[in-house]
Structures are given as structure tokens and as C-alpha cells.
Amino acid sequence: MSRIVFLNGSFLPIEEAKVPFMDRGFMFGDGVYEGIGVLNGRLIDNEAHLERLERSLAEVRIPNPYTRAEWTSLEEELVRRNGMAEGFVYFQVTRGVAERDFFFPDNAKPTVAMFTQAKSIASAPAAETGIAVVTVPDMRWERRDIKSINLLAQVLAKQAAKEAGAQEAWMVQDGYVTEGGSSSAFIVTKKGSIVVRPLSNAILPGITRKSLLRLSQEAGIALEERRFTVEEAYDAAEAFLTSASNFVLPVVSIDGRPVGDGKPGPITKRLRELYLDMARLPAIAAE
Ligand code: PMP
């Protein structure tokens, strides 16, 4: 079966899904996107992802082509048509197709493209072994709170990480970690508190981060919402990242230095379990 994608109102085989040459997503990176995890065929934290989409679209002044209920049924239909039990739903909205010119076009219709990527999340080997990260300068623009499709800085950051033998880049500004190339960054202090950077224009408001903070609070784990330096991360008891396509992943080395004893830590493991339990019961989690 060929992969089915959604493009501008139609479900069709990926080979037939064509975007016009003058799409502003292609020409300017003029668009925003979302990515949602799927477990047991169900979308995880979908309402919060759609809320973030609405905000991203409003910030860049692209009209939202669908209601939340319409978005949800498109996502569910795509998951169903691809028979995907576990993985990721990606979609992007660009400002549409128009002759190349910086000004907003008068009558362009937003382009909507959506696809699925099957992926093992719950039993990913990286969750057992943990991953390595390396730090790189954060070279992005000043509105990182918008989930823009402009990902060149992250492409370069993550490629640098790969070439250094790591799986993720932690981006650094003024000595403080902002976030991962495609994930939120956390450390755990020796006293057992979670440390995460507060929301601002400097980072994307991660949806997995938001759920994780709620779950950690319910579990009585102390939280320090503040910036942390690279040196503090080197010296942390544990480190981990969160994202919709990985949930919670232990970070066991930073710039080649082992974090703690170099194995996934107990608080990280507990948080991953709590997140998985929530993801397995999305109806309850949505309350
Ligand atoms: N930060 C950045 C820069 C990201 O690209 C992502 C993933 N899209 C995240 C954080 C994690 O966000 P979420 O938990 O919503 O996937």
C-alpha cells in the first residue's frame, strides 16, 4: 500500500501529491507546522497541539483553514488510512501560492500538507540506552515560540550533532541551554529537582514539556523553572529531553561527558513511565 498523505482537501498517494513551484513555503519558508505523537492509533495531546497551531498561525497572520474539530478528523482519518498504530502525524500550513514577492499575496489560499511517519516510540531502544547530545550555538531568530517551518538552524545544529556521534543538539545562548534541535531540554539536580527553561520567545512551548510538568507536579517531583548553564548540565544528576515523537528520552552524555553515572536516571525513567501511562489513556489525560 502506498503512503497516503493529505494535501489541500484530498487524501492521495504520496507520489501524486504535488505542491506548486511558487508555494511560499518553498520560496520563503513562509508557514508553520505541528507534529503530534500517535500511540495505539490515538493522537497524544492533540488539543494542546492544535491550540499551539492556532497561536502560530495568528502570530504570522496566516488564516487558519480549519476548525479544531476539522483538524482532528483530518488527522484521525490520515492515521486510519495509513493503518498507523504508532508514530507521528506532521502537518504544515503555508501562506499559499503566489508570484514571488515578499508582501502578503491578496488572494492566496493557505496550502495544507499532512503526512504520517510510522515510528516505534513506546519501545524505542534509545529509551533504554539513553542518547548523547552535544552543545552548539543557538543561531535562530528571535521568535522561537512560533513553530515556523524555517528549520535551517536546527538542520545545521542536528547535523553537527550527528557528525559528533550524538543524536541531538542542545542549543546554547549566552551560556544557557535554550532547547534541543527538535526537543525540550531538562536536567535533574543532585537534590532531585527537575530544571527546565521558562517559556519565552527564546524557546518553542513544547507540548510534551507542558504535559510532563503537570505529571511531575502530580507525582510530587520538585520543579525549578529557570535557565540552566552548560556547566550545570555537565554536573547534573540526570538529563532528558521531551518531544511529541519521542515522549521522554534520557540524555546520558553531554559533549562527550557522562551525565551522572552515564545511564538513564531513576527520575527520568519514572517520568517516561508516567508519560507513557498518560499516553495509553488519552481520554483521561485530556481532562
Ligand atoms: N523545541 C523545538 C525546537 C522543537 O522543534 C520541538 C519539537 N517540535 C520541541 C521543542 C518539542 O515540542 P513538542 O513536545 O511539542 O513536540
Side-chain angles (χ1 to χ4, degrees), residues 33-37 45 48-49 52 88 140 144 146-148 151 154 158 168 171 178-185 202-211 241-247 275:
Y33 76 109
E34 267 305 326
I36 297 116
D45 281 336
H49 282 281
R52 184 172 66 187
F88 190 60
R140 296 173 298 161
R144 303 163 191 161
I146 297 170
K147 203 163 169 54
S148 152
L151 295 173
Q154 285 99 313
K158 288 177 77 94
E168 176 61 305
M171 297 180 286
T178 53
E179 59 187 331
S182 59
S183 55
S184 306
I203 59 168
L204 183 79
I207 301 305
T208 321
R209 171 192 184 281
K210 184 178 173 184
S211 282
L241 61 79
T242 62
S243 76
S245 59
N246 290 295
F247 298 169
Y275 193 88

mmCIF file of all heavy atoms in Angstrom, residues 33-37 45 48-49 52 88 140 144 146-148 151 154 158 168 171 178-185 202-211 241-247 275, ligand 1:
data_model
loop_
_atom_site.group_PDB
_atom_site.id
_atom_site.type_symbol
_atom_site.label_atom_id
_atom_site.label_comp_id
_atom_site.label_asym_id
_atom_site.label_seq_id
_atom_site.Cartn_x
_atom_site.Cartn_y
_atom_site.Cartn_z
ATOM 1 N N TYR A 33 4.052 24.751 11.330
ATOM 2 C CA TYR A 33 3.751 23.325 11.321
ATOM 3 C C TYR A 33 3.438 22.825 12.719
ATOM 4 O O TYR A 33 3.592 23.538 13.708
ATOM 5 C CB TYR A 33 4.898 22.522 10.698
ATOM 6 C CG TYR A 33 6.130 22.336 11.570
ATOM 7 C CD1 TYR A 33 6.438 21.087 12.109
ATOM 8 C CD2 TYR A 33 6.986 23.396 11.836
ATOM 9 C CE1 TYR A 33 7.576 20.902 12.893
ATOM 10 C CE2 TYR A 33 8.119 23.217 12.620
ATOM 11 C CZ TYR A 33 8.408 21.971 13.142
ATOM 12 O OH TYR A 33 9.521 21.791 13.921
ATOM 13 N N GLU A 34 2.995 21.567 12.756
ATOM 14 C CA GLU A 34 2.761 20.860 14.018
ATOM 15 C C GLU A 34 3.170 19.404 13.851
ATOM 16 O O GLU A 34 3.193 18.878 12.731
ATOM 17 C CB GLU A 34 1.279 20.914 14.427
ATOM 18 C CG GLU A 34 0.926 22.064 15.349
ATOM 19 C CD GLU A 34 1.774 22.118 16.620
ATOM 20 O OE1 GLU A 34 2.168 21.056 17.142
ATOM 21 O OE2 GLU A 34 2.060 23.220 17.085
ATOM 22 N N GLY A 35 3.486 18.763 14.951
ATOM 23 C CA GLY A 35 3.812 17.336 14.934
ATOM 24 C C GLY A 35 3.224 16.709 16.177
ATOM 25 O O GLY A 35 3.423 17.222 17.282
ATOM 26 N N ILE A 36 2.492 15.626 15.982
ATOM 27 C CA ILE A 36 1.754 15.016 17.089
ATOM 28 C C ILE A 36 2.100 13.527 17.168
ATOM 29 O O ILE A 36 2.091 12.831 16.147
ATOM 30 C CB ILE A 36 0.227 15.205 16.870
ATOM 31 C CG1 ILE A 36 -0.098 16.702 16.888
ATOM 32 C CG2 ILE A 36 -0.609 14.488 17.931
ATOM 33 C CD1 ILE A 36 -0.606 17.245 15.639
ATOM 34 N N GLY A 37 2.365 13.048 18.361
ATOM 35 C CA GLY A 37 2.663 11.633 18.543
ATOM 36 C C GLY A 37 1.392 10.789 18.484
ATOM 37 O O GLY A 37 0.305 11.258 18.843
ATOM 38 N N ASP A 45 -2.095 14.319 23.193
ATOM 39 C CA ASP A 45 -2.067 15.763 23.488
ATOM 40 C C ASP A 45 -2.522 16.608 22.297
ATOM 41 O O ASP A 45 -2.027 17.728 22.072
ATOM 42 C CB ASP A 45 -0.630 16.213 23.875
ATOM 43 C CG ASP A 45 -0.262 15.875 25.314
ATOM 44 O OD1 ASP A 45 -1.173 15.732 26.149
ATOM 45 O OD2 ASP A 45 0.944 15.770 25.601
ATOM 46 N N ALA A 48 -3.828 20.337 22.721
ATOM 47 C CA ALA A 48 -2.777 21.320 23.019
ATOM 48 C C ALA A 48 -1.962 21.629 21.760
ATOM 49 O O ALA A 48 -1.545 22.768 21.540
ATOM 50 C CB ALA A 48 -1.880 20.801 24.136
ATOM 51 N N HIS A 49 -1.746 20.619 20.913
ATOM 52 C CA HIS A 49 -1.022 20.874 19.656
ATOM 53 C C HIS A 49 -1.840 21.796 18.747
ATOM 54 O O HIS A 49 -1.288 22.702 18.109
ATOM 55 C CB HIS A 49 -0.716 19.559 18.930
ATOM 56 C CG HIS A 49 0.454 18.824 19.513
ATOM 57 N ND1 HIS A 49 1.757 19.174 19.252
ATOM 58 C CD2 HIS A 49 0.519 17.772 20.358
ATOM 59 C CE1 HIS A 49 2.577 18.361 19.910
ATOM 60 N NE2 HIS A 49 1.848 17.496 20.595
ATOM 61 N N ARG A 52 -1.612 25.303 19.956
ATOM 62 C CA ARG A 52 -0.339 25.934 19.567
ATOM 63 C C ARG A 52 -0.350 26.308 18.088
ATOM 64 O O ARG A 52 0.153 27.354 17.692
ATOM 65 C CB ARG A 52 0.836 25.002 19.883
ATOM 66 C CG ARG A 52 2.187 25.649 19.597
ATOM 67 C CD ARG A 52 3.352 24.811 20.085
ATOM 68 N NE ARG A 52 3.465 23.552 19.358
ATOM 69 C CZ ARG A 52 4.318 22.582 19.666
ATOM 70 N NH1 ARG A 52 5.126 22.722 20.695
ATOM 71 N NH2 ARG A 52 4.361 21.469 18.967
ATOM 72 N N PHE A 88 3.903 9.305 14.179
ATOM 73 C CA PHE A 88 3.935 10.756 14.202
ATOM 74 C C PHE A 88 3.042 11.283 13.087
ATOM 75 O O PHE A 88 3.057 10.748 11.980
ATOM 76 C CB PHE A 88 5.394 11.111 13.938
ATOM 77 C CG PHE A 88 5.778 12.530 14.139
ATOM 78 C CD1 PHE A 88 5.625 13.145 15.364
ATOM 79 C CD2 PHE A 88 6.351 13.245 13.090
ATOM 80 C CE1 PHE A 88 6.029 14.455 15.553
ATOM 81 C CE2 PHE A 88 6.759 14.557 13.283
ATOM 82 C CZ PHE A 88 6.600 15.162 14.513
ATOM 83 N N ARG A 140 19.262 30.793 15.954
ATOM 84 C CA ARG A 140 17.929 31.053 15.400
ATOM 85 C C ARG A 140 17.464 32.504 15.570
ATOM 86 O O ARG A 140 18.075 33.275 16.273
ATOM 87 C CB ARG A 140 16.920 30.101 16.042
ATOM 88 C CG ARG A 140 17.209 28.656 15.708
ATOM 89 C CD ARG A 140 16.296 27.736 16.486
ATOM 90 N NE ARG A 140 16.498 27.858 17.911
ATOM 91 C CZ ARG A 140 15.632 27.462 18.832
ATOM 92 N NH1 ARG A 140 14.495 26.903 18.456
ATOM 93 N NH2 ARG A 140 15.893 27.598 20.113
ATOM 94 N N ARG A 144 11.248 32.138 18.507
ATOM 95 C CA ARG A 144 11.300 30.668 18.512
ATOM 96 C C ARG A 144 10.048 30.060 19.124
ATOM 97 O O ARG A 144 9.869 28.847 19.123
ATOM 98 C CB ARG A 144 12.532 30.220 19.292
ATOM 99 C CG ARG A 144 13.800 30.795 18.711
ATOM 100 C CD ARG A 144 14.921 30.678 19.710
ATOM 101 N NE ARG A 144 16.066 31.441 19.269
ATOM 102 C CZ ARG A 144 17.042 31.825 20.080
ATOM 103 N NH1 ARG A 144 17.014 31.492 21.368
ATOM 104 N NH2 ARG A 144 18.042 32.520 19.614
ATOM 105 N N ILE A 146 7.228 30.596 17.893
ATOM 106 C CA ILE A 146 6.367 30.272 16.744
ATOM 107 C C ILE A 146 6.927 29.016 16.093
ATOM 108 O O ILE A 146 8.131 28.935 15.828
ATOM 109 C CB ILE A 146 6.375 31.443 15.726
ATOM 110 C CG1 ILE A 146 5.795 32.708 16.357
ATOM 111 C CG2 ILE A 146 5.623 31.062 14.453
ATOM 112 C CD1 ILE A 146 5.996 33.960 15.512
ATOM 113 N N LYS A 147 6.060 28.049 15.801
ATOM 114 C CA LYS A 147 6.556 26.789 15.223
ATOM 115 C C LYS A 147 6.670 26.959 13.704
ATOM 116 O O LYS A 147 5.861 26.443 12.925
ATOM 117 C CB LYS A 147 5.647 25.623 15.614
ATOM 118 C CG LYS A 147 6.367 24.281 15.539
ATOM 119 C CD LYS A 147 5.611 23.222 16.300
ATOM 120 C CE LYS A 147 6.129 21.825 16.037
ATOM 121 N NZ LYS A 147 7.554 21.626 16.267
ATOM 122 N N SER A 148 7.671 27.743 13.316
ATOM 123 C CA SER A 148 7.887 28.088 11.907
ATOM 124 C C SER A 148 8.515 26.912 11.159
ATOM 125 O O SER A 148 9.299 26.146 11.739
ATOM 126 C CB SER A 148 8.818 29.299 11.872
ATOM 127 O OG SER A 148 9.571 29.317 10.687
ATOM 128 N N LEU A 151 13.649 25.821 9.394
ATOM 129 C CA LEU A 151 14.381 24.985 10.350
ATOM 130 C C LEU A 151 15.854 24.870 9.995
ATOM 131 O O LEU A 151 16.523 23.926 10.414
ATOM 132 C CB LEU A 151 13.724 23.596 10.431
ATOM 133 C CG LEU A 151 12.294 23.602 11.015
ATOM 134 C CD1 LEU A 151 11.652 22.225 10.903
ATOM 135 C CD2 LEU A 151 12.290 24.046 12.466
ATOM 136 N N GLN A 154 18.216 24.535 12.885
ATOM 137 C CA GLN A 154 18.106 23.221 13.525
ATOM 138 C C GLN A 154 18.697 22.113 12.648
ATOM 139 O O GLN A 154 19.279 21.155 13.142
ATOM 140 C CB GLN A 154 16.649 22.887 13.856
ATOM 141 C CG GLN A 154 16.111 23.646 15.042
ATOM 142 C CD GLN A 154 15.289 24.845 14.639
ATOM 143 O OE1 GLN A 154 15.698 25.632 13.791
ATOM 144 N NE2 GLN A 154 14.118 24.999 15.225
ATOM 145 N N LYS A 158 21.563 19.889 14.216
ATOM 146 C CA LYS A 158 21.408 18.441 14.372
ATOM 147 C C LYS A 158 22.434 17.683 13.518
ATOM 148 O O LYS A 158 22.927 16.624 13.924
ATOM 149 C CB LYS A 158 19.964 18.014 14.062
ATOM 150 C CG LYS A 158 19.009 18.475 15.183
ATOM 151 C CD LYS A 158 17.563 18.152 14.902
ATOM 152 C CE LYS A 158 17.232 16.702 15.138
ATOM 153 N NZ LYS A 158 16.702 16.474 16.505
ATOM 154 N N GLU A 168 21.272 14.349 19.330
ATOM 155 C CA GLU A 168 20.544 15.614 19.416
ATOM 156 C C GLU A 168 21.538 16.717 19.750
ATOM 157 O O GLU A 168 22.596 16.455 20.344
ATOM 158 C CB GLU A 168 19.439 15.526 20.492
ATOM 159 C CG GLU A 168 18.643 16.799 20.783
ATOM 160 C CD GLU A 168 17.850 17.371 19.598
ATOM 161 O OE1 GLU A 168 18.462 17.630 18.534
ATOM 162 O OE2 GLU A 168 16.627 17.595 19.757
ATOM 163 N N MET A 171 21.025 23.570 22.037
ATOM 164 C CA MET A 171 21.435 24.887 21.559
ATOM 165 C C MET A 171 21.655 25.816 22.750
ATOM 166 O O MET A 171 20.939 25.738 23.750
ATOM 167 C CB MET A 171 20.372 25.408 20.588
ATOM 168 C CG MET A 171 20.256 24.505 19.359
ATOM 169 S SD MET A 171 19.034 25.050 18.158
ATOM 170 C CE MET A 171 17.521 24.609 18.990
ATOM 171 N N THR A 178 19.133 26.689 25.564
ATOM 172 C CA THR A 178 17.764 27.106 25.218
ATOM 173 C C THR A 178 16.894 25.851 25.121
ATOM 174 O O THR A 178 16.007 25.640 25.932
ATOM 175 C CB THR A 178 17.716 27.933 23.918
ATOM 176 O OG1 THR A 178 18.383 27.212 22.873
ATOM 177 C CG2 THR A 178 18.351 29.300 24.113
ATOM 178 N N GLU A 179 17.195 25.005 24.114
ATOM 179 C CA GLU A 179 16.420 23.761 23.945
ATOM 180 C C GLU A 179 17.154 22.874 22.957
ATOM 181 O O GLU A 179 18.208 23.239 22.444
ATOM 182 C CB GLU A 179 14.999 24.070 23.461
ATOM 183 C CG GLU A 179 14.952 24.823 22.148
ATOM 184 C CD GLU A 179 13.542 25.273 21.765
ATOM 185 O OE1 GLU A 179 12.559 24.614 22.153
ATOM 186 O OE2 GLU A 179 13.443 26.287 21.052
ATOM 187 N N GLY A 180 16.573 21.701 22.685
ATOM 188 C CA GLY A 180 17.160 20.803 21.710
ATOM 189 C C GLY A 180 16.788 21.233 20.295
ATOM 190 O O GLY A 180 15.867 22.044 20.098
ATOM 191 N N GLY A 181 17.468 20.682 19.311
ATOM 192 C CA GLY A 181 17.177 20.987 17.913
ATOM 193 C C GLY A 181 15.725 20.705 17.562
ATOM 194 O O GLY A 181 15.102 21.439 16.793
ATOM 195 N N SER A 182 15.181 19.637 18.144
ATOM 196 C CA SER A 182 13.752 19.347 17.942
ATOM 197 C C SER A 182 13.153 18.761 19.212
ATOM 198 O O SER A 182 12.353 17.831 19.162
ATOM 199 C CB SER A 182 13.566 18.396 16.753
ATOM 200 O OG SER A 182 14.276 17.194 16.981
ATOM 201 N N SER A 183 13.539 19.331 20.353
ATOM 202 C CA SER A 183 13.047 18.795 21.629
ATOM 203 C C SER A 183 13.267 19.824 22.736
ATOM 204 O O SER A 183 14.054 20.748 22.570
ATOM 205 C CB SER A 183 13.794 17.497 21.973
ATOM 206 O OG SER A 183 15.193 17.720 21.984
ATOM 207 N N SER A 184 12.573 19.644 23.850
ATOM 208 C CA SER A 184 12.778 20.489 25.032
ATOM 209 C C SER A 184 13.837 19.830 25.907
ATOM 210 O O SER A 184 13.888 18.603 26.008
ATOM 211 C CB SER A 184 11.467 20.625 25.818
ATOM 212 O OG SER A 184 10.422 21.080 24.977
ATOM 213 N N ALA A 185 14.666 20.668 26.558
ATOM 214 C CA ALA A 185 15.821 20.160 27.324
ATOM 215 C C ALA A 185 15.570 20.287 28.826
ATOM 216 O O ALA A 185 15.122 21.336 29.295
ATOM 217 C CB ALA A 185 17.067 20.949 26.942
ATOM 218 N N ALA A 202 12.336 32.717 23.499
ATOM 219 C CA ALA A 202 13.604 32.036 23.229
ATOM 220 C C ALA A 202 13.452 30.551 22.931
ATOM 221 O O ALA A 202 14.398 29.916 22.456
ATOM 222 C CB ALA A 202 14.554 32.214 24.412
ATOM 223 N N ILE A 203 12.273 29.991 23.254
ATOM 224 C CA ILE A 203 12.076 28.550 23.008
ATOM 225 C C ILE A 203 10.659 28.280 22.491
ATOM 226 O O ILE A 203 9.756 29.092 22.679
ATOM 227 C CB ILE A 203 12.312 27.678 24.281
ATOM 228 C CG1 ILE A 203 11.366 28.084 25.426
ATOM 229 C CG2 ILE A 203 13.760 27.731 24.707
ATOM 230 C CD1 ILE A 203 11.350 27.089 26.590
ATOM 231 N N LEU A 204 10.520 27.113 21.889
ATOM 232 C CA LEU A 204 9.185 26.659 21.497
ATOM 233 C C LEU A 204 8.447 26.168 22.748
ATOM 234 O O LEU A 204 9.043 25.437 23.551
ATOM 235 C CB LEU A 204 9.312 25.500 20.497
ATOM 236 C CG LEU A 204 7.967 25.006 19.959
ATOM 237 C CD1 LEU A 204 7.472 25.960 18.875
ATOM 238 C CD2 LEU A 204 8.082 23.605 19.398
ATOM 239 N N PRO A 205 7.190 26.549 22.921
ATOM 240 C CA PRO A 205 6.457 25.982 24.061
ATOM 241 C C PRO A 205 6.103 24.516 23.780
ATOM 242 O O PRO A 205 5.099 24.216 23.142
ATOM 243 C CB PRO A 205 5.205 26.872 24.155
ATOM 244 C CG PRO A 205 5.025 27.475 22.802
ATOM 245 C CD PRO A 205 6.370 27.493 22.133
ATOM 246 N N GLY A 206 6.958 23.626 24.216
ATOM 247 C CA GLY A 206 6.778 22.196 23.916
ATOM 248 C C GLY A 206 5.497 21.672 24.555
ATOM 249 O O GLY A 206 5.225 21.943 25.729
ATOM 250 N N ILE A 207 4.750 20.912 23.794
ATOM 251 C CA ILE A 207 3.502 20.347 24.320
ATOM 252 C C ILE A 207 3.819 19.167 25.245
ATOM 253 O O ILE A 207 3.180 18.989 26.281
ATOM 254 C CB ILE A 207 2.580 19.928 23.153
ATOM 255 C CG1 ILE A 207 2.259 21.135 22.253
ATOM 256 C CG2 ILE A 207 1.304 19.264 23.681
ATOM 257 C CD1 ILE A 207 1.653 22.334 22.958
ATOM 258 N N THR A 208 4.824 18.397 24.893
ATOM 259 C CA THR A 208 5.227 17.283 25.761
ATOM 260 C C THR A 208 5.785 17.837 27.069
ATOM 261 O O THR A 208 5.522 17.293 28.152
ATOM 262 C CB THR A 208 6.268 16.406 25.045
ATOM 263 O OG1 THR A 208 5.903 16.305 23.674
ATOM 264 C CG2 THR A 208 6.343 15.017 25.657
ATOM 265 N N ARG A 209 6.528 18.937 26.966
ATOM 266 C CA ARG A 209 7.053 19.636 28.155
ATOM 267 C C ARG A 209 5.908 20.004 29.097
ATOM 268 O O ARG A 209 5.978 19.766 30.306
ATOM 269 C CB ARG A 209 7.780 20.907 27.677
ATOM 270 C CG ARG A 209 8.212 21.868 28.753
ATOM 271 C CD ARG A 209 8.632 23.200 28.104
ATOM 272 N NE ARG A 209 9.159 24.154 29.053
ATOM 273 C CZ ARG A 209 8.413 24.903 29.874
ATOM 274 N NH1 ARG A 209 7.095 24.799 29.848
ATOM 275 N NH2 ARG A 209 8.978 25.746 30.701
ATOM 276 N N LYS A 210 4.851 20.562 28.497
ATOM 277 C CA LYS A 210 3.707 21.009 29.305
ATOM 278 C C LYS A 210 3.064 19.834 30.052
ATOM 279 O O LYS A 210 2.797 19.904 31.253
ATOM 280 C CB LYS A 210 2.694 21.658 28.350
ATOM 281 C CG LYS A 210 1.491 22.262 28.994
ATOM 282 C CD LYS A 210 0.615 22.896 27.918
ATOM 283 C CE LYS A 210 -0.696 23.377 28.487
ATOM 284 N NZ LYS A 210 -1.572 23.899 27.426
ATOM 285 N N SER A 211 2.827 18.735 29.332
ATOM 286 C CA SER A 211 2.230 17.555 29.980
ATOM 287 C C SER A 211 3.164 16.991 31.037
ATOM 288 O O SER A 211 2.726 16.553 32.099
ATOM 289 C CB SER A 211 1.959 16.459 28.953
ATOM 290 O OG SER A 211 0.811 16.778 28.242
ATOM 291 N N LEU A 241 15.226 14.730 27.481
ATOM 292 C CA LEU A 241 14.528 15.621 26.551
ATOM 293 C C LEU A 241 13.103 15.135 26.386
ATOM 294 O O LEU A 241 12.781 13.979 26.697
ATOM 295 C CB LEU A 241 15.254 15.678 25.196
ATOM 296 C CG LEU A 241 15.416 14.403 24.385
ATOM 297 C CD1 LEU A 241 14.158 14.024 23.627
ATOM 298 C CD2 LEU A 241 16.550 14.589 23.386
ATOM 299 N N THR A 242 12.256 16.052 25.922
ATOM 300 C CA THR A 242 10.881 15.652 25.597
ATOM 301 C C THR A 242 10.532 16.153 24.202
ATOM 302 O O THR A 242 10.995 17.218 23.780
ATOM 303 C CB THR A 242 9.843 16.238 26.585
ATOM 304 O OG1 THR A 242 9.872 17.668 26.521
ATOM 305 C CG2 THR A 242 10.093 15.782 28.014
ATOM 306 N N SER A 243 9.732 15.359 23.491
ATOM 307 C CA SER A 243 9.144 15.809 22.220
ATOM 308 C C SER A 243 8.001 14.879 21.881
ATOM 309 O O SER A 243 7.930 13.751 22.385
ATOM 310 C CB SER A 243 10.178 15.808 21.092
ATOM 311 O OG SER A 243 10.426 14.502 20.646
ATOM 312 N N ALA A 244 7.129 15.377 20.995
ATOM 313 C CA ALA A 244 5.949 14.597 20.631
ATOM 314 C C ALA A 244 6.324 13.274 19.974
ATOM 315 O O ALA A 244 5.587 12.293 20.097
ATOM 316 C CB ALA A 244 5.084 15.423 19.683
ATOM 317 N N SER A 245 7.469 13.228 19.298
ATOM 318 C CA SER A 245 7.823 11.994 18.588
ATOM 319 C C SER A 245 8.725 11.082 19.408
ATOM 320 O O SER A 245 9.087 9.994 18.950
ATOM 321 C CB SER A 245 8.492 12.326 17.251
ATOM 322 O OG SER A 245 9.630 13.094 17.484
ATOM 323 N N ASN A 246 9.100 11.497 20.605
ATOM 324 C CA ASN A 246 9.939 10.652 21.478
ATOM 325 C C ASN A 246 9.391 10.510 22.893
ATOM 326 O O ASN A 246 9.915 9.720 23.656
ATOM 327 C CB ASN A 246 11.346 11.248 21.594
ATOM 328 C CG ASN A 246 12.123 11.140 20.310
ATOM 329 O OD1 ASN A 246 12.434 10.042 19.856
ATOM 330 N ND2 ASN A 246 12.409 12.266 19.685
ATOM 331 N N PHE A 247 8.398 11.322 23.229
ATOM 332 C CA PHE A 247 7.904 11.428 24.605
ATOM 333 C C PHE A 247 9.045 11.901 25.514
ATOM 334 O O PHE A 247 9.458 13.033 25.394
ATOM 335 C CB PHE A 247 7.289 10.113 25.101
ATOM 336 C CG PHE A 247 6.082 9.651 24.313
ATOM 337 C CD1 PHE A 247 5.561 8.372 24.496
ATOM 338 C CD2 PHE A 247 5.455 10.475 23.394
ATOM 339 C CE1 PHE A 247 4.442 7.946 23.775
ATOM 340 C CE2 PHE A 247 4.338 10.064 22.672
ATOM 341 C CZ PHE A 247 3.847 8.788 22.857
ATOM 342 N N TYR A 275 4.526 9.408 31.608
ATOM 343 C CA TYR A 275 4.058 9.937 30.321
ATOM 344 C C TYR A 275 3.426 8.822 29.485
ATOM 345 O O TYR A 275 2.366 8.998 28.882
ATOM 346 C CB TYR A 275 5.203 10.622 29.548
ATOM 347 C CG TYR A 275 4.642 11.429 28.405
ATOM 348 C CD1 TYR A 275 4.253 12.754 28.587
ATOM 349 C CD2 TYR A 275 4.423 10.851 27.150
ATOM 350 C CE1 TYR A 275 3.675 13.478 27.561
ATOM 351 C CE2 TYR A 275 3.847 11.567 26.117
ATOM 352 C CZ TYR A 275 3.477 12.882 26.336
ATOM 353 O OH TYR A 275 2.890 13.594 25.316
HETATM 354 N N1 PMP B 1 11.674 22.546 20.725
HETATM 355 C C1 PMP B 1 11.813 22.507 19.396
HETATM 356 C C2 PMP B 1 12.736 23.475 18.727
HETATM 357 C C3 PMP B 1 11.111 21.554 18.633
HETATM 358 O O1 PMP B 1 11.228 21.512 17.306
HETATM 359 C C4 PMP B 1 10.273 20.628 19.296
HETATM 360 C C5 PMP B 1 9.529 19.567 18.547
HETATM 361 N N2 PMP B 1 8.775 20.042 17.510
HETATM 362 C C6 PMP B 1 10.158 20.716 20.689
HETATM 363 C C7 PMP B 1 10.869 21.689 21.370
HETATM 364 C C8 PMP B 1 9.255 19.781 21.448
HETATM 365 O O2 PMP B 1 7.931 20.188 21.315
HETATM 366 P P1 PMP B 1 6.738 19.126 21.397
HETATM 367 O O3 PMP B 1 6.828 18.499 22.741
HETATM 368 O O4 PMP B 1 5.530 19.959 21.236
HETATM 369 O O5 PMP B 1 6.964 18.150 20.282
#
